Amino acid sequence: MQDVAFEAGVSSATVSRVLAGLKAGTSEATALHVLQTARQLGYVVNSVAASLRKEKTYSVGLILADIANPFFAGLARGVEDILRPEGFSILLANTDNKVEEETRLLRLMMEKQVDAVIMSSSASTNDHIVSAMAHGLKVILVDSEIKDTAVDTIVVDNRQGAQNAIDYLIRQGHENIAIVTGSLQASFDQERLAGYYDAFSAQGLTVPEHLIFSSDSTYEGGRRAVKSLLQNNRDISAFFITNNLMTMGTITELVEQGFIIPDDFSLVGFDDMEWYSIFKPAITAIRQPIYQLGRIAAERLLKTLSADIPPSPERIVLNTELLLRNSVASRPVHPDTSPQEKK
Amino acid sequence: MQDVAFEAGVSSATVSRVLAGLKAGTSEATALHVLQTARQLGYVVNSVAASLRKEKTYSVGLILADIANPFFAGLARGVEDILRPEGFSILLANTDNKVEEETRLLRLMMEKQVDAVIMSSSASTNDHIVSAMAHGLKVILVDSEIKDTAVDTIVVDNRQGAQNAIDYLIRQGHENIAIVTGSLQASFDQERLAGYYDAFSAQGLTVPEHLIFSSDSTYEGGRRAVKSLLQNNRDISAFFITNNLMTMGTITELVEQGFIIPDDFSLVGFDDMEWYSIFKPAITAIRQPIYQLGRIAAERLLKTLSADIPPSPERIVLNTELLLRNSVASRPVHPDTSPQEKK
């Protein structure tokens, strides 16, 4: 700071005030001269000073539930492709699906003076998000929603997506369909379970509730699901798994136990992975518009940041697509429960 | 800020000075009182003020080459498992393998006042890193190294790992082994290519340089490699691919062109993925101690931050492991070039 003062021909106090972004007592011309000198000397102008001058730091926080999940990498790519060309830097943070981490990371992002946060929340309550917004942080929820919260929300139609998958399995003659899901705190897992219920109800079938298994949304969680479900049930004919990491765990556990997909068990996963199409058998899956989710969240953020008056929160819902491949086998249908073809 | 001034019974200028971390003109007791009042009112104390008080912000930057690559997710996990229990927050940033992004993100991390940066660099020169370190940023390189740079470096033995894989292929009777690699700017890709050369040289064989193909380290890059290599060569019997995304692309392109692995082509990938072991055929691969890389980098960072005198930079090298599965077939060996069994 003394070097800058010497070079610029001003007092250290002036340099300190300018670099701290304080406007009082210094002319605009002097401030500019100090900043230029500081930059020439390689002094890193801190973001607070920058934000006080420009009102924006051009940095955005992206809080994700699990960066080990390829889903979130695709989402981050969509966000970056929109925000980078506009001059924004993106700081990512990982909650590991822990709600207490969400609170901590929202606070961190405020301390780091980001202009806004795009967040995938696993929470079922909104206190931490409402509090962050009350402190002036702009928040956009993506891939998750929280009831009764006035916040921009970009999601896929998880409920309809899950219903389509179960409906397809039922039409292939399956009834004892196990659902392997993550913790049911998060909105997406609640919605996917609701879609599972909807599909059975729509066909007038009883929901096989003993085949609902919830665990961590991880590879290990998927393996545990298979072990537990097969140990306790002899009637399962198909698995519906609500996320890609658990799907990998489920497939691995079935293969290692010597079962053949789809001869022994049919299988549908929520979320499509690149290796599914070259796997033997190719895996039937629900494709989510992951990249689009990220892009739309980022576009919404730009709109919010550029508006003089903040726009009213919107809820944007994207459709999923069921990709029929080879991991589902037809079963002979019991005559009285034969469902009619729909759509 | 005016609310804080009113509550604390001081002027706005005092509040502004205290929150900006400026010590002159305000007693320690007043500063403390202002900070407590600000906190009670929910004012987020900015990280600059906090860092001036505590000298540490307890935040660490983690600059990764590609978060869409599962390798880096595993590395981030290792870093988080060490740093989180010590009270550190981790801010991730993604360079997309672009060297100009490395420079920009180092600058961003300095502006955001992190205590240190753990970085996976794709660069072949060190100007940006030396400059960041000269500005006081602590840097630890992981998975990459830059020649003649005095910086802590944690890497795997890429050269030996690649040599082991090629050596194994040669012993199975392969000679026309194509290597599919990312851009050869980054140290790890240079080292893996050097290992490819070493293996042929050690057996007294000519290196099939027409079978070296370099492209983006992506799924699409892998597909392009197969298209180009097969179009221009009729003699390839095996593929060695130096990263997991290109391996997925290579496998997909071979399968879609109707080839059978390993009957038509043998294949070894650098980096092990969970799905390799359940794929048909299971993929022979080089396992890297990814999680350990992250942990050791984080441990080194803690040591550096807690030392009064910075420790001398260290270079830590971890070994890889060749996992023999089913994607390599034996070929009849030409009598004069039959290599002796090694090790």
Side-chain angles (χ1 to χ4, degrees):
Chain A
M1 224 179 251
Q2 283 166 342
D3 294 344
V4 176
F6 179 82
E7 262 320 300
V10 300
S11 72
S12 288
T14 300
V15 173
S16 157
R17 270 200 307 277
V18 169
L19 294 182
L22 303 176
K23 287 174 182 176
T26 317
S27 75
E28 192 64 32
T30 306
L32 203 64
H33 178 53
V34 167
L35 287 170
Q36 278 168 348
T37 308
R39 216 163 251 160
Q40 276 157 20
L41 293 177
Y43 188 99
V44 174
V45 178
N46 77 53
S47 56
V48 177
S51 69
L52 287 171
R53 279 195 320 283
K54 296 183 299 184
E55 294 188 341
K56 273 200 222 172
T57 62
Y58 284 94
S59 55
V60 166
L62 179 54
I63 301 180
L64 300 176
D66 181 6
I67 59 152
N69 185 332
F71 173 87
F72 291 109
L75 196 152
R77 165 79 49 188
V79 170
E80 293 196 332
D81 283 357
I82 292 295
L83 292 185
R84 262 193 194 162
E86 300 290 327
F88 286 86
S89 298
I90 294 149
L91 291 168
L92 287 108
N94 183 28
T95 70
D96 248 350
N97 286 300
K98 292 192 185 92
V99 178
E100 64 274 19
E101 282 294 311
E102 291 183 13
T103 308
R104 213 174 60 77
L105 292 174
L106 279 170
R107 193 163 182 92
L108 175 71
M109 291 297 178
M110 283 192 275
E111 288 177 5
K112 297 301 182 186
Q113 313 270 336
V114 297
D115 295 331
V117 162
I118 296 175
M119 178 168 183
S120 159
S121 172
S122 312
S124 52
T125 55
N126 64 10
D127 304 350
H128 57 314
I129 293 168
V130 168
S131 163
M133 289 168 67
H135 285 90
L137 186 68
K138 294 192 170 74
V139 177
I140 290 177
L141 280 186
V142 68
D143 181 48
S144 50
E145 53 193 322
I146 301 183
K147 275 194 192 105
D148 307 321
T149 308
V151 56
D152 283 311
T153 302
I154 330 288
V155 284
V156 302
D157 194 339
N158 288 298
R159 186 164 181 161
Q160 187 65 50
Q163 180 174 354
N164 292 348
I166 302 298
D167 191 54
Y168 170 67
L169 283 166
I170 292 173
R171 283 188 284 117
Q172 298 304 309
H174 297 276
E175 276 187 46
N176 293 310
I177 304 165
I179 178 170
V180 175
T181 171
S183 129
L184 289 162
Q185 262 200 318
S187 61
F188 41 84
D189 279 329
Q190 290 170 358
E191 291 288 310
R192 289 167 196 175
L193 182 61
Y196 173 82
Y197 273 82
D198 289 348
F200 286 103
S201 304
Q203 305 278 0
L205 298 173
T206 309
V207 178
E209 292 189 308
H210 61 295
L211 301 182
I212 300 171
F213 187 91
S214 162
S215 184
D216 300 336
S217 295
T218 61
Y219 173 79
E220 283 305 328
R223 297 192 70 148
R224 267 199 301 279
V226 172
K227 281 181 197 139
S228 170
L229 282 163
L230 293 186
Q231 202 156 43
N232 300 316
N233 304 280
R234 306 194 148 267
D235 56 353
I236 297 171
S237 77
F239 287 89
F240 171 60
I241 310 117
T242 68
N243 64 72
N244 69 65
L245 294 176
M246 292 185 102
T247 301
M248 163 110 73
T250 298
I251 294 173
T252 304
E253 187 62 32
L254 289 174
V255 168
E256 289 193 3
Q257 290 197 18
F259 293 111
I260 308 288
I261 303 168
D263 302 3
D264 297 315
F265 297 103
S266 291
L267 187 146
V268 179
F270 208 110
D271 216 11
D272 189 35
M273 296 282 101
E274 267 160 346
W275 58 272
Y276 284 2
S277 60
I278 53 167
F279 197 72
K280 305 233 163 40
I283 304 295
T284 297
I286 297 164
R287 179 185 283 158
Q288 304 191 67
I290 298 175
Y291 180 73
Q292 280 304 318
L293 272 179
R295 282 183 72 101
I296 292 173
E299 279 161 1
R300 184 72 197 162
L301 181 147
L302 287 179
K303 195 172 165 190
T304 303
L305 287 180
S306 66
D308 290 330
I309 301 156
S312 306
E314 275 184 16
R315 179 171 178 275
I316 299 169
V317 182
L318 307 181
N319 286 324
T320 62
E321 186 186 356
L322 181 61
L323 303 174
L324 301 182
R325 299 199 183 101
N326 307 319
S327 63
V328 174
S330 292
R331 291 248 155 169
V333 180
H334 190 285
D336 350 272
T337 57
S338 167
Q340 275 122 45
E341 285 293 313
K342 289 176 63 179
K343 287 195 219 168
Chain B
M1 224 178 250
Q2 283 167 342
D3 294 345
V4 176
F6 179 81
E7 264 318 301
V10 298
S11 70
S12 286
T14 300
V15 173
S16 157
R17 271 200 308 277
V18 170
L19 294 183
L22 303 176
K23 285 173 181 176
T26 316
S27 75
E28 192 64 32
T30 306
L32 203 64
H33 178 54
V34 168
L35 288 170
Q36 279 167 348
T37 308
R39 215 164 253 157
Q40 277 156 19
L41 293 178
Y43 188 98
V44 175
V45 177
N46 76 53
S47 55
V48 178
S51 69
L52 288 172
R53 279 196 319 283
K54 294 184 300 185
E55 296 187 339
K56 273 200 222 173
T57 61
Y58 284 95
S59 55
V60 166
L62 180 53
I63 301 180
L64 300 175
D66 182 6
I67 59 152
N69 186 331
F71 173 87
F72 291 109
L75 196 152
R77 165 80 48 189
V79 170
E80 292 196 332
D81 282 356
I82 293 295
L83 292 184
R84 262 194 195 160
E86 300 290 327
F88 285 86
S89 298
I90 294 150
L91 290 168
L92 288 108
N94 183 28
T95 70
D96 248 349
N97 285 299
K98 293 191 186 91
V99 178
E100 64 273 20
E101 281 295 311
E102 291 183 14
T103 308
R104 214 175 59 77
L105 292 174
L106 279 170
R107 197 168 177 88
L108 175 70
M109 290 298 177
M110 283 191 276
E111 286 177 6
K112 297 302 183 187
Q113 313 271 336
V114 298
D115 296 330
V117 162
I118 296 174
M119 178 168 184
S120 159
S121 172
S122 311
S124 53
T125 55
N126 64 11
D127 303 352
H128 57 312
I129 293 169
V130 169
S131 163
M133 289 167 70
H135 284 92
L137 187 67
K138 294 191 170 77
V139 177
I140 290 177
L141 280 186
V142 68
D143 181 49
S144 51
E145 51 193 322
I146 301 183
K147 274 194 194 104
D148 307 322
T149 309
V151 57
D152 283 311
T153 302
I154 331 287
V155 285
V156 301
D157 194 338
N158 289 297
R159 186 164 181 162
Q160 187 64 52
Q163 179 174 354
N164 292 348
I166 302 298
D167 192 55
Y168 169 68
L169 283 166
I170 293 174
R171 283 188 285 116
Q172 299 304 310
H174 298 274
E175 276 187 45
N176 292 310
I177 305 165
I179 177 168
V180 176
T181 171
S183 129
L184 288 163
Q185 261 200 318
S187 63
F188 41 84
D189 279 329
Q190 290 170 358
E191 291 288 309
R192 289 167 197 176
L193 182 62
Y196 173 83
Y197 273 82
D198 289 348
F200 286 103
S201 304
Q203 305 279 359
L205 299 173
T206 309
V207 178
E209 292 189 307
H210 60 296
L211 301 182
I212 300 172
F213 187 92
S214 162
S215 182
D216 300 338
S217 295
T218 60
Y219 173 80
E220 283 305 328
R223 298 193 69 148
R224 266 199 302 278
V226 172
K227 280 181 196 138
S228 170
L229 282 163
L230 293 187
Q231 201 155 44
N232 299 314
N233 303 280
R234 304 196 148 266
D235 56 354
I236 297 172
S237 76
F239 287 89
F240 171 58
I241 310 117
T242 69
N243 64 71
N244 69 65
L245 294 176
M246 293 185 102
T247 300
M248 164 112 70
T250 299
I251 295 173
T252 304
E253 187 62 32
L254 288 174
V255 168
E256 289 192 2
Q257 289 198 21
F259 293 111
I260 308 288
I261 304 168
D263 303 2
D264 297 315
F265 298 104
S266 291
L267 186 147
V268 179
F270 208 110
D271 217 11
D272 190 34
M273 296 283 102
E274 267 160 346
W275 60 271
Y276 285 2
S277 60
I278 53 168
F279 196 72
K280 306 234 161 40
I283 304 296
T284 296
I286 296 164
R287 178 185 284 159
Q288 303 192 67
I290 299 174
Y291 179 75
Q292 280 304 317
L293 272 179
R295 282 184 73 102
I296 291 172
E299 279 161 358
R300 185 72 197 161
L301 181 147
L302 287 178
K303 195 172 165 190
T304 304
L305 287 181
S306 65
D308 290 329
I309 302 156
S312 306
E314 275 185 16
R315 180 172 179 273
I316 299 169
V317 182
L318 307 182
N319 286 323
T320 61
E321 186 186 357
L322 180 62
L323 303 175
L324 302 182
R325 298 200 183 101
N326 308 320
S327 64
V328 174
S330 292
R331 294 246 154 170
V333 181
H334 189 284
D336 350 274
T337 57
S338 167
Q340 275 122 45
E341 283 295 312
K342 288 175 67 181
K343 285 192 222 169

